[in-house]
Amino acid sequence: MKAGLAVIEALRAEGIDTTFGIVGIASNGIVTEMHGRPDIRFVDTRHEEGAAFMAYGYARASGRPTACITTSGPATTNLATGIALAHKGRAPVIVIAGDTPRHHHHRDGHQALDLVEIFRPITQLAVQVGTTERILEMLRYGLRCALTGRTGPVLVSIPSDLLEDATVEGPILPPAAYRVVDARIAGDPAAVERAAQLLAAAERPVLLAGGGVIDSQASEDAVALAEELDMAMAPSWSHHDAIPNSHPLYVGPPGFRGAPESMDAIRRADVLLALGARINQTSTFWNDSVIAPGTRIVQVELDPREIGRNYPIAAGILGDARTVARQLLAAVRAIQPRKKPRPQWRAQVEACASRRRARLEAERDITGHPIMPQRVFTELRRVLPRECMITVDAGAAPGLAYDRVHFEVPRTMFNYSGQGGLGGGYCISLGTRLGRPDRAAVSLQGDGGFMYTIQEINTAVRWKIPQVAIVMNNNCHGAEKAQQQRNYGGRLVGVDLVNPRFDRLAQVCGARGFYAERTEDIAEAVSAALAVDGPSVVEIPVAEYFPASGSARRAI
């Protein structure tokens, strides 16, 4: 078959039915092979960065791989921020770069860049195909690296001369022929027994549920283990959907923009089970403010490099979160056939959870004009569907969501996954809706972040993606303005913004626009937007909010 068709068939063998990107001279030999096919589509975006963000959202929401197909030079480097996000967030995104011809290499040719070296630090694998005969082999190599163990993105660069009038021989192999299809790595029995002894003897155990719980579909097993041991349950940062937030043992998220009640519970722990969690900076600040010195830590991770990396451990288990959780539950029950009650600790845990609920409910009484941003979330909790996929962009106003939006179902929370990049939220959310069309999708962003990728409203309109963008507009870069106010004597540079009316801009682009200037308008506007069979934007003017001082200022 033609070389470009071989690329498409290799993707189809892995079940990939959606790709993202922008067409180009060096990649036309691949993308044109999708013409007229009902089994695979090319979602053309208005910028490659948007394609990478959408691919990340698609992969994380669906739990399946996807691909970005781009042309040479700057077209592929435009993917870098989104692919770095996929690397941080364990999303299997296959980058297929149509590269410059081989005879242009090392001659400073037009659009010639060393893509392999550029992408090597932000992918699981970055390779260039050397001959047409090896295209299928190198794609299988990339797919194996992307989908085995700790999943993540890869780059396969294919010089365009390998695609022009070239054919490939050889079968399209099924995934089971070149990689482990279902790798459920069990923990070492001795390590599991050691960890179970610690957990069974604990008086104040806490579960920190990380991204590995979501990846391995271990939420029910994590909850069962927590209930067996009366463990307080907290998610690691950005994985709030790992465990149901309505559970009586759930105390909220710790760390950056988290719940003080959660951090209080974790500091009291004598044993902490980090299940599929890296114990990262945003959850713990890498100091003693969340995890107290002397807390014995049991860490379960699929990546051996993460075990004991940031905190000393009492027991480390290399393995799949779901498999190990089941091993631990069986081992604990073997140690104590009858459940050991911890009434004092359970009462403390439920008191922490109750204090958090009361604190959030009290925010219903906050008044002001413009609307205080915390007040927005009390309204959103009323109207967002239980299985709604919510993407939180970077920024001060949307960042308040971490302690205020509730999640009950795995793969419903998405964000910038510790990378910290502003502006990806809207595109990530578009990708989630394409990956899970059976669930509603909402993005939460500020005005600064929304303007980063606002051109993709056009993509949403053309592809008829029913997604709701909620823009909390305070006419500034809020976090940076707060810092300049506090630490730099109020010398404001580059933080105050002048914006269009985002609801009207959406309408110009062919989407629906809604404007909620009063608190009582928010629920109605969001409900109406959710009912739209296509993209919509809800603009909510909000006050500037500086949490440390509790002050609010009207944006200029």
Side-chain angles (χ1 to χ4, degrees):
M1 67 184 73
K2 289 190 292 184
L5 178 59
V7 172
I8 300 303
E9 294 300 340
L11 297 180
R12 287 297 301 130
E14 281 285 357
I16 294 174
D17 57 12
T18 301
T19 66
F20 301 86
I22 295 179
V23 298
I25 301 300
S27 59
N28 272 338
I30 301 171
V31 297
T32 54
E33 293 298 335
M34 287 183 271
H35 177 73
R37 291 185 61 152
D39 61 336
I40 189 167
R41 57 183 172 176
F42 180 71
V43 177
D44 54 318
T45 60
R46 300 312 300 261
H47 192 281
E48 289 88 358
E49 182 181 50
F53 284 139
M54 288 184 208
Y56 169 78
Y58 183 100
R60 291 303 304 160
S62 67
R64 297 184 285 114
T66 187
C68 287
I69 303 175
T70 52
T71 192
S72 54
T76 300
T77 60
N78 280 344
L79 296 172
T81 298
I83 297 304
L85 169 63
H87 190 48
K88 282 262 192 180
R90 311 174 316 283
V93 178
I94 317 304
V95 177
I96 299 174
D99 210 341
T100 51
R102 286 171 297 173
H103 58 274
H104 288 187
H105 295 178
H106 310 295
R107 300 178 67 184
D108 194 23
H110 178 65
Q111 291 193 336
L113 292 170
D114 192 341
L115 298 176
V116 169
E117 288 304 312
I118 291 171
F119 279 79
R120 194 186 304 279
I122 56 173
T123 55
Q124 309 284 80
L125 173 78
V127 293
Q128 185 176 78
V129 181
T131 64
T132 299
E133 292 76 18
R134 299 192 70 188
I135 287 177
L136 285 173
E137 174 198 344
M138 299 308 283
L139 283 171
R140 290 193 290 263
Y141 183 23
L143 288 160
R144 185 163 62 249
C145 290
L147 294 165
T148 304
R150 187 183 189 274
T151 57
V154 299
L155 168 84
V156 179
S157 164
I158 308 176
S160 59
D161 58 307
L162 303 185
L163 298 168
E164 296 168 359
D165 301 320
T167 58
V168 172
E169 294 183 1
I172 302 296
L173 298 177
Y178 58 84
R179 67 177 181 85
V180 177
V181 175
D182 187 14
R184 293 285 182 180
I185 300 173
D188 175 73
V192 170
E193 178 64 24
R194 186 164 57 252
Q197 291 286 353
L198 286 168
L199 290 167
E203 295 296 330
R204 300 178 305 281
V206 171
L207 168 70
L208 182 68
V213 171
I214 298 170
D215 290 348
S216 64
Q217 300 175 321
S219 294
E220 292 183 3
D221 302 284
V223 170
L225 187 56
E227 290 175 341
E228 181 71 20
L229 293 161
D230 285 336
M231 303 175 81
M233 294 195 299
S236 69
W237 187 85
S238 83
H239 302 116
H240 300 30
D241 53 341
I243 43 182
N245 295 184
S246 61
H247 195 284
L249 291 172
Y250 180 82
V251 292
F256 184 58
R257 290 175 176 158
E261 300 84 1
S262 175
M263 290 180 266
D264 180 34
I266 294 172
R267 275 196 62 79
R268 298 185 196 183
D270 57 353
V271 176
L272 174 71
L273 170 62
L275 183 62
R278 295 180 295 132
I279 319 182
N280 60 21
Q281 178 189 9
T282 39
S283 294
T284 67
F285 307 112
W286 289 341
N287 57 32
D288 297 336
S289 63
V290 177
I291 300 176
T295 301
R296 290 169 293 177
I297 298 174
V298 175
Q299 188 174 10
V300 179
E301 247 293 334
L302 197 57
D303 185 347
R305 296 170 297 181
E306 297 295 343
I307 296 178
R309 181 179 185 180
N310 296 314
Y311 287 85
I313 57 173
I317 305 174
L318 179 67
D320 168 75
R322 187 175 77 180
T323 303
V324 174
R326 292 177 178 179
Q327 288 179 286
L328 285 171
L329 183 59
V332 166
R333 286 174 173 169
I335 295 168
Q336 49 180 48
R338 298 183 62 182
K339 178 179 175 179
K340 171 187 171 183
R342 297 170 175 82
Q344 289 184 329
W345 175 237
R346 187 171 184 115
Q348 292 179 48
V349 170
E350 293 180 351
C352 284
S354 179
R355 288 200 307 272
R356 177 172 178 262
R357 288 193 298 270
R359 174 173 56 81
L360 296 183
E361 283 302 308
E363 291 182 348
R364 290 185 180 276
D365 299 328
I366 296 175
T367 59
H369 185 79
I371 302 166
M372 291 297 289
Q374 311 97 297
R375 187 69 179 82
V376 173
F377 296 102
T378 65
E379 296 302 307
L380 293 182
R381 289 197 298 271
R382 291 174 49 203
V383 296
L384 294 181
R386 181 176 182 272
E387 295 190 353
C388 181
M389 298 180 293
I390 301 169
T391 302
V392 183
D393 198 4
L400 293 169
Y402 289 107
D403 187 29
R404 291 168 174 82
V405 177
H406 296 163
F407 299 91
E408 297 297 316
V409 180
R411 298 193 186 275
T412 53
M413 180 186 183
F414 309 89
N415 74 341
Y416 50 83
S417 196
Q419 184 197 42
L422 183 65
Y426 178 56
C427 296
I428 293 169
S429 186
L430 292 175
T432 67
R433 187 64 200 255
L434 290 170
R436 286 297 302 265
D438 57 319
R439 291 180 174 176
V442 167
S443 59
L444 304 173
Q445 57 269 301
D447 48 304
F450 193 50
M451 287 292 280
Y452 268 54
T453 53
I454 201 167
Q455 73 278 356
E456 302 303 342
I457 294 177
N458 176 265
T459 303
V461 169
R462 287 184 292 108
W463 284 90
K464 299 180 175 62
I465 305 173
Q467 185 271 353
V468 179
I470 298 175
V471 184
M472 302 172 70
N473 181 9
N474 58 13
N475 287 305
C476 69
H477 290 301
E480 292 72 20
K481 186 170 184 176
Q483 185 186 36
Q484 290 183 7
Q485 293 273 18
R486 293 177 189 144
N487 301 342
Y488 297 96
R491 292 171 292 179
L492 304 182
V493 177
V495 292
D496 288 314
L497 303 174
V498 177
N499 294 307
R501 273 278 295 264
F502 294 110
D503 59 319
R504 293 173 181 170
L505 182 59
Q507 292 168 355
V508 168
C509 293
R512 289 287 301 277
F514 300 88
Y515 192 75
E517 194 172 18
R518 303 177 306 162
T519 303
E520 53 266 34
D521 297 332
I522 294 173
E524 182 181 353
V526 173
S527 295
L530 286 166
V532 173
D533 186 20
S536 57
V537 174
V538 179
E539 179 177 351
I540 306 174
V542 296
E544 296 176 24
Y545 175 65
F546 305 146
S549 63
S551 62
R553 294 180 176 85
R554 189 179 184 89
I556 298 173

